[in-house]
Every structure is written in structure tokens, then in C-alpha cells.
């Protein structure tokens, strides 16, 4: 399988180029299922964004904005493919549905003791049970049922988008949502992404997913977990799955922070590392 060329180099370049717009709309509820911008709209937004930065660049480098903030919202993981398309994941879960242990120090001892994803699920459903709603009013009532409980963690979904420069003028003018999914009570944020031939691989604990578009409409309509068991503990935010890459040996690689892994290989062999990265 061919390796996407210079994935990290392009991702860093594009992030730097559009950094004012990338974070301008953090926290907003925005529907981006499909969006196209005109040349005039792009030019006006690009001019406004470029006035906000004063980069100091090494000799021979040039900085240009490629995607304005009307097309890109809160990216976590980015990949540019050989055809010039950009894929990125966006999280909706980080604020209400995925926790940082520093905000829940009373959970620390029990969280450290967890050894499997099912134990994590049981802990969350017990600690955030409907019967405990009055003690957990800090948890947003996302589903609007009047109760602050673990069911509110099953509403918000992670998203994946594709951006394109359809007219070839050097500016992205089209955005399409390809995925809106991943909302189990144990689901982390979608921090790992790899587009490889006809498949999209997404690392969003507790799973590494392979997604496919079976009818070529641009929407991923088939998914399969190819590895399960990531993110045993409730730890620091940002310690989840990340860094999906294709290695020179044809295998794919990714990382997980110190919140652990406990799963099985396709042959049934157990790989138990709940307290390691």
C-alpha cells in the first residue's frame, strides 16, 4: 500500500497557516455536513485572517492560508493526502463527555485500580448513575431529561471532515462531513487519523476503527473495530490515541498515553498493559 507523502510536514504547515481560523469557533454548535465557499468569500476571510498573524520565517519559507475558519473548526488530527485533500477530526465530546482526572481528584484511586474497559464502564455508570444526579450537577444535562447522569455522555459524537480545493486556485473551497459517530459512555476523543487507499482509520478509545465508503457518496457507511481496549483509566486530557502512521513495513502504528491498554489479538492472545502507555 502506498504511503501518503509528507503527511506530518503538510499538516504542520497547514495548521500554522490557518491557526487564527482553526480555533476561532471553539465550542460552537455548527452544522458542517457540506459547505462550499465562493472565491469572494474566501478572499475576504483570508485577508481578515492573515492580518492577525506576523510570522517570523526562516529564509526560503513562505506562509499562506489555505483553509478559512468557515470550513475548519477545532481540528484535532489532520492528514493531507496525495490528491491534495485534507482530512481532519473534530471533537464534540471533550467538554462534557470525556473527563480529565485533574477535575475529579476524588476518582483517582478507583480510576487507577481499573484494569479493563468494562470496569471503566461500570465505574462511570455507578458514579454517574441517575440516582446520583443531585450530586453530579456539574455534568451537563446534554440529553435534556432533567437528570445529570452517564446517559448524557452518549449524546455528543465525534466528527470527521474532508476539505478540497475543487477549482485548483490554491484555496480550499469545499468541506464535507464524512463521519459523525462514536458516542459510547467509554468513548474518548478522536485523536488519531489515517486515510489509506479506500479506508479511513480512526483512533478513538477504546477502539481503532476501519471505516469504508461502500457506495462512493463521500460518507463512511461501514465500520469495523480492528483493535479494542484503549483508555482504561480516566487520566489527563490529550493522553488518548494519536499519531496514526503507515510504517515502511506496511503496518499501521499509533500511540496511547498512560491511560493504558488491555485487549486481545485476532488469535485470542491477551495483551494486558492497563497501567502503561
Amino acid at each position: 500500500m502506498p504511503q501518503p507523502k509528507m503527511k506530518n510536514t503538510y499538516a504542520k504547515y497547514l495548521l500554522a497557516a490557518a491557526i487564527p481560523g482553526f480555533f476561532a469557533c471553539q465550542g460552537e454548535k455548527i452544522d458542517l455536513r457540506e459547505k462550499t465557499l465562493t472565491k469572494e468569500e474566501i478572499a475576504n476571510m483570508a485577508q481578515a485572517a492573515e492580518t492577525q498573524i506576523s510570522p517570523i520565517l526562516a529564509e526560503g519559507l513562505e506562509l499562506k492560508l489555505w483553509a478559512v475558519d468557515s470550513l475548519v473548526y477545532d481540528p484535532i488530527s489532520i492528514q493531507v493526502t496525495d490528491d491534495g485533500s485534507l482530512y481532519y477530526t473534530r471533537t464534540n465530546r471533550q467538554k462534557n463527555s470525556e473527563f480529565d482526572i485533574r477535575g475529579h481528584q476524588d476518582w483517582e484511586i478507583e480510576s487507577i485500580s481499573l484494569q479493563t474497559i468494562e470496569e471503566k464502564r461500570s465505574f462511570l455508570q455507578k458514579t454517574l448513575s441517575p440516582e446520583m444526579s443531585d450530586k453530579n450537577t456539574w455534568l451537563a444535562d446534554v440529553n435534556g431529561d432533567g437528570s445529570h447522569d452517564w446517559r448524557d455522555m452518549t449524546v455528543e459524537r465525534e466528527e470527521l471532515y474532508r476539505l478540497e480545493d475543487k477549482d485548483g486556485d490554491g484555496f480550499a473551497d469545499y468541506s464535507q462531513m464524512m463521519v459523525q459517530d462514536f458516542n459510547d459512555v467509554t468513548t474518548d476523543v478522536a485523536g488519531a487519523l489515517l486515510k489509506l487507499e479506500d479506508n479511513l482509520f480512526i483512533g478513538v478509545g477504546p477502539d481503532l476503527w476501519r471505516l469504508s465508503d461502500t457506495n462512493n457518496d463521500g460518507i463512511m457507511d461501514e465500520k469495523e473495530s480492528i483493535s479494542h481496549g484503549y483508555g482504561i483509566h480516566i487520566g489527563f486530557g490529550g493522553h488518548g490515541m494519536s499519531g496514526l502512521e503507515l510504517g515502511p513495513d506496511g503496518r499501521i502504528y499509533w500511540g496511547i498515553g498512560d491511560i493504558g491498554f488491555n485487549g486481545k489479538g485476532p488469535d485470542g492472545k491477551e495483551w494486558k498493559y492497563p497501567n502503561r502507555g
Side-chain angles (χ1 to χ4, degrees), residues 25 28-33 35 73 90 159 161 177:
C25 300
E28 293 184 16
K29 295 292 185 182
I30 301 165
D31 187 355
L32 275 179
R33 293 183 183 276
K35 188 167 186 176
Y73 295 87
R90 177 190 185 210
E159 298 170 354
Y161 295 88
M177 180 192 290

Side-chain angles (χ1 to χ4, degrees), residues 172-192:
D173 50 29
Y174 175 78
S175 171
Q176 181 182 23
M177 180 192 290
M178 302 182 71
V179 178
Q180 188 178 51
D181 202 342
F182 313 117
N183 58 316
D184 183 76
V185 66
T186 62
T187 299
D188 203 338
V189 302

Side-chain angles (χ1 to χ4, degrees), residues 39-105:
K39 288 181 179 291
E40 183 178 4
E41 289 173 324
I42 293 171
N44 291 338
M45 294 177 191
Q47 184 178 13
E50 288 172 351
T51 60
Q52 299 177 44
I53 59 174
S54 300
I56 299 174
L57 303 175
E59 185 177 352
L61 294 180
E62 184 180 8
L63 186 66
K64 290 184 179 180
L65 187 143
W66 184 74
V68 297
D69 63 1
S70 289
L71 293 179
V72 186
Y73 295 87
D74 307 336
I76 300 177
S77 186
I78 299 174
Q79 181 189 359
V80 180
T81 53
D82 288 345
D83 65 0
S85 297
L86 183 147
Y87 295 81
Y88 77 91
T89 59
R90 177 190 185 210
T91 183
N92 292 301
R93 295 182 59 78
Q94 189 170 29
K95 183 177 181 181
N96 300 310
S97 305
E98 189 273 332
F99 307 125
D100 190 308
I101 196 65
R102 288 169 289 189
H104 302 277
Q105 294 184 25

Side-chain angles (χ1 to χ4, degrees), residues 162-173:
R162 183 182 76 252
L163 270 64
E164 293 183 43
D165 172 13
K166 283 184 172 288
D167 59 12
D169 66 351
F171 291 97
D173 50 29

Side-chain angles (χ1 to χ4, degrees), residues 16 22 28 38 75 79 91 141 164 170 192 198 207 232 261 264:
F22 271 22
E28 293 184 16
T38 66
Q79 181 189 359
T91 183
D141 180 15
E164 293 183 43
D198 295 329
D207 295 273
I232 304 296
F261 168 67
K264 293 182 179 180

